[in-house]
Amino acid sequence: MTPRHPLTPGRAGGACAALALVLASAATGSPVSAAGGEGADAAQGTVAYRSVARFATAGKPRDLLLHPDSKKLYVGSDDLPETADVNESGLHVLDPADGKVRSTVGQAPGPTGTLGRRAVRQLLAPLPGDGAVFFYPLRGIGTAKDGDAAAAGAWVPGAAVTHATAGLTPSTVLVAQGPVLSEVDIATAAVKRSVTLEGGDGFAVDAARGTVWFTDIGNRRMYRIDAATFRVAATVELPAGEGFGGFTEVDPETGAVWVGLDSAVVVHDATGKRLGTLRGMGTDMPRAAGFDAATHEAFVVWQDAGDTSQPGSDNDGTLTVHRTRDLQEAVKPVALPGIHVQLGSAAVAVEPGGAAVFVSDPVAGRIIRLERSTSPRVTREPADRSVAAGTEVSLTAEAEGTPRPTVAWQVSTDAGRTWQAVPGATSPTYTFTAALSDSGRRYRAEFGNDVGVGRSAAATLTVTIPHTTTGGSGDGGSATTGGTGGTGSTGSAGSAGSTAGGSDGTSGTSGTPGSVGGGSAGSAGATVGGGDHTTVGGGALASTGVAVASLAGSAVVLTAAGWVLMRRARPRSTG
């Protein structure tokens, strides 16, 4: 049986991870076949516990206490018979992260005050700041903290102590000596008050409600003792059974009392009303329980009978986790290989917030550290996108989980019927440029860790042809083409020169050939719509042909005028 002292509630320290991812693929977007997450598919946010370490540094562990202030793991231990050259009994102080021994307090006073090597059977309560109150056989109540050379201790008068736990005040503990329940001073072991019952085995304290629950497994009943009067206030009947008792524990949050009986756990509320019964795996028997007020969960260690000749016995135990409000299973049961009752009862300690759980294995002489894990839970989905070809695309997905999830982006080319991994898309940032061949493809992020795999919703990518224009005034409008130049008019033919000589006997002047006008075609202007809206070319010189034609016409007029003057200047021939 493993008594628990109410610990200071704390928040879960499990790490949460958020992955902000920018999607991309190769320019072609061609997928290849690849695997996604690490675990099996699981509902998002599924909680599980997994074994991460085993500490074989503290002898044969009998009880565990995780100190609420110093956070150190205190272990009460017996000696391991197979290590004859070393005596591991005593109070061990471990680093809960790696099991490294910080110190061992092996010496404690005997009944006459003489120091000697003492086994520690139960850890009763934490001392303020650091240290623990503990019980050591046969009647010793001791105190020690990390680094002490020896424990302080005193012996309770009377019969051997059969069970002990935290008291109703910080300076006292409660001890059972068979059917006698006593309140004892820690420093002196002096009995302050006591009550004798018909029978008894184990008990638990509900300090918040001033109640002590004392179980009498042989008579299948429970006594509710009022702390103020130290007298029995009520008797509660327990279910009939074979008579094996595992533990008696009180949930400090609700006041409910949990009793391990045979292969079941019977739960009553703070008044003694039956709430329900929990069953284990096969023949497993409940041997320890711990509570966490932050998660509102109870942690129960079940040990196998250790007799493979019995049906259902496989030598493996189980850790189960239940919601204290409705007793429903909060986590899938965790197998504890080799945990059985043949060499002693297991113990359990829960880190506030439930991030870590410690279970002792008296068979192997070790402590198992289990950590809380959560399957990936998608917190941000990628959104559909519609872009022009050649545009850079960014899709974002986020997920949280413990341990931190890995990610693998996937693509579907058949409307989500099948999925393939995007090559290389396993880092937080991944960028690609959309091609027309990517249009209609769907993308999703697959997150995975040890607990399972979770996937985001699919985002559909639509890729369009870029819009391109020519000509125009630079605002992306329609193109404008320069006009064609006009055709120049044809020059008149020059007049023929006179063949007759002048009156002074000079030769006649030849006529001037007429010029032929020709208009130049105007250049075609063009505007390409774009970011800077630059106009290329224009309609300049479109009227060049008209100008040439006008000059040619003027030349004809001048030539004609000259011909008339010349005719007038010629003398008239006689005779």
Side-chain angles (χ1 to χ4, degrees):
M1 175 172 156
T2 306
R4 291 273 66 79
H5 184 82
L7 301 182
T8 303
R11 280 290 162 194
C16 274
L19 301 177
L21 304 168
V22 181
L23 169 69
S25 80
T28 61
S30 300
V32 295
S33 187
E38 300 172 5
D41 286 0
Q44 295 192 23
T46 298
V47 177
Y49 278 90
R50 58 193 178 101
S51 174
V52 297
R54 290 173 172 81
F55 309 150
T57 52
K60 181 179 179 179
R62 297 295 298 266
D63 203 4
L64 306 174
L65 185 150
L66 191 61
H67 200 282
D69 301 325
S70 69
K71 313 303 181 185
K72 300 170 186 176
L73 180 63
Y74 279 78
V75 184
S77 297
D78 275 337
D79 185 31
L80 284 171
E82 57 266 32
T83 57
D85 57 331
V86 178
N87 188 337
E88 299 100 340
S89 61
L91 181 68
H92 300 272
V93 186
L94 307 186
D95 183 330
D98 58 13
K100 182 179 179 180
V101 179
R102 298 176 57 92
S103 65
T104 297
V105 182
Q107 300 288 314
T112 62
T114 304
L115 290 176
R117 193 82 188 197
R118 312 291 179 185
V120 174
R121 295 293 173 82
Q122 289 179 275
L123 297 172
L124 310 183
L127 291 173
D130 190 29
V133 183
F134 56 91
F135 159 64
Y136 59 98
L138 294 170
R139 295 177 281 117
I141 303 298
T143 59
K145 64 180 183 300
D146 184 15
D148 285 349
W155 283 59
V156 179
V161 173
T162 53
H163 184 63
T165 193
L168 295 162
T169 67
S171 63
T172 63
V173 294
L174 294 177
V175 301
Q177 294 165 292
V180 179
L181 175 67
S182 301
E183 183 178 34
V184 175
D185 182 75
I186 293 174
T188 65
V191 176
K192 300 173 72 70
R193 52 183 178 166
S194 63
V195 59
T196 300
L197 306 166
E198 294 182 17
D201 297 274
F203 60 91
V205 176
D206 183 3
R209 297 162 187 82
T211 301
V212 179
W213 290 96
F214 199 104
T215 54
D216 180 358
I217 302 299
N219 293 309
R220 311 300 285 189
R221 67 185 61 173
M222 215 171 24
Y223 306 107
R224 181 162 63 87
I225 300 170
D226 179 70
T229 63
F230 220 59
R231 293 291 180 265
V232 175
T235 300
V236 177
E237 297 298 323
L238 294 173
E242 299 176 8
F244 297 108
F247 61 81
T248 302
E249 298 287 356
V250 169
D251 176 6
E253 182 185 16
T254 66
V257 57
W258 294 51
V259 180
L261 292 172
D262 304 320
S263 58
V265 177
V266 181
V267 184
H268 296 76
D269 69 11
T271 67
K273 179 183 177 181
R274 179 82 58 83
L275 296 176
T277 300
L278 307 176
R279 300 289 178 180
M281 306 287 290
T283 60
D284 288 356
M285 295 178 284
R287 287 303 193 211
F291 300 90
D292 179 54
T295 59
H296 314 293
E297 291 173 345
F299 298 77
V300 180
V301 176
W302 306 72
Q303 289 179 266
D304 187 75
D307 183 357
T308 55
S309 65
Q310 296 184 20
S313 178
D314 58 6
N315 279 339
D316 294 339
T318 312
L319 172 69
T320 59
V321 185
H322 309 268
R323 296 193 297 265
T324 56
R325 302 286 173 83
D326 58 12
L327 308 185
Q328 294 301 306
E329 196 174 80
V331 175
K332 183 179 179 181
V334 183
L336 300 174
I339 301 290
H340 60 74
V341 299
Q342 295 299 314
L343 294 178
S345 294
V348 63
V350 182
E351 181 178 292
V357 178
F358 301 87
V359 177
S360 68
D361 179 356
V363 177
R366 63 187 179 184
I367 299 164
I368 304 169
R369 176 186 169 98
L370 300 103
E371 291 184 355
R372 191 182 188 96
S373 301
T374 308
S375 67
R377 184 176 69 85
V378 177
T379 58
R380 182 176 178 181
E381 306 281 7
D384 293 344
R385 295 294 307 277
S386 180
V387 299
T391 302
E392 187 175 277
V393 176
S394 294
L395 300 178
T396 302
E398 296 178 359
E400 61 184 12
T402 305
R404 184 182 182 90
T406 59
V407 63
W409 281 93
Q410 298 178 333
V411 63
S412 174
T413 59
D414 55 8
R417 287 187 292 275
T418 61
W419 293 87
Q420 294 173 302
V422 178
T426 58
S427 60
T429 301
Y430 183 52
T431 304
F432 78 100
T433 301
L436 285 175
S437 59
D438 296 326
S439 190
R441 290 184 174 181
R442 297 183 182 184
Y443 296 88
R444 70 182 183 187
E446 181 179 83
F447 301 94
N449 63 13
D450 291 342
V451 184
V453 172
R455 301 177 184 86
S456 71
T460 301
L461 179 64
T462 302
V463 185
T464 59
I465 300 174
H467 180 60
T468 304
T469 60
T470 58
S473 58
D475 60 355
S478 60
T480 302
T481 304
T484 303
T487 304
S489 58
T490 303
S492 60
S495 58
S498 173
T499 57
S503 57
D504 55 1
T506 60
S507 301
T509 304
S510 299
T512 303
S515 301
V516 181
S520 301
S523 302
T527 300
V528 179
D532 55 3
H533 307 293
T534 303
T535 301
V536 181
L541 300 180
S543 60
T544 304
V546 176
V548 173
S550 299
L551 291 174
S554 298
V556 172
V557 172
L558 291 175
T559 301
W563 181 76
V564 172
L565 289 175
M566 289 177 63
R567 284 184 58 91
R568 289 180 178 177
R570 290 177 187 156
R572 207 177 270 191
S573 60
T574 58

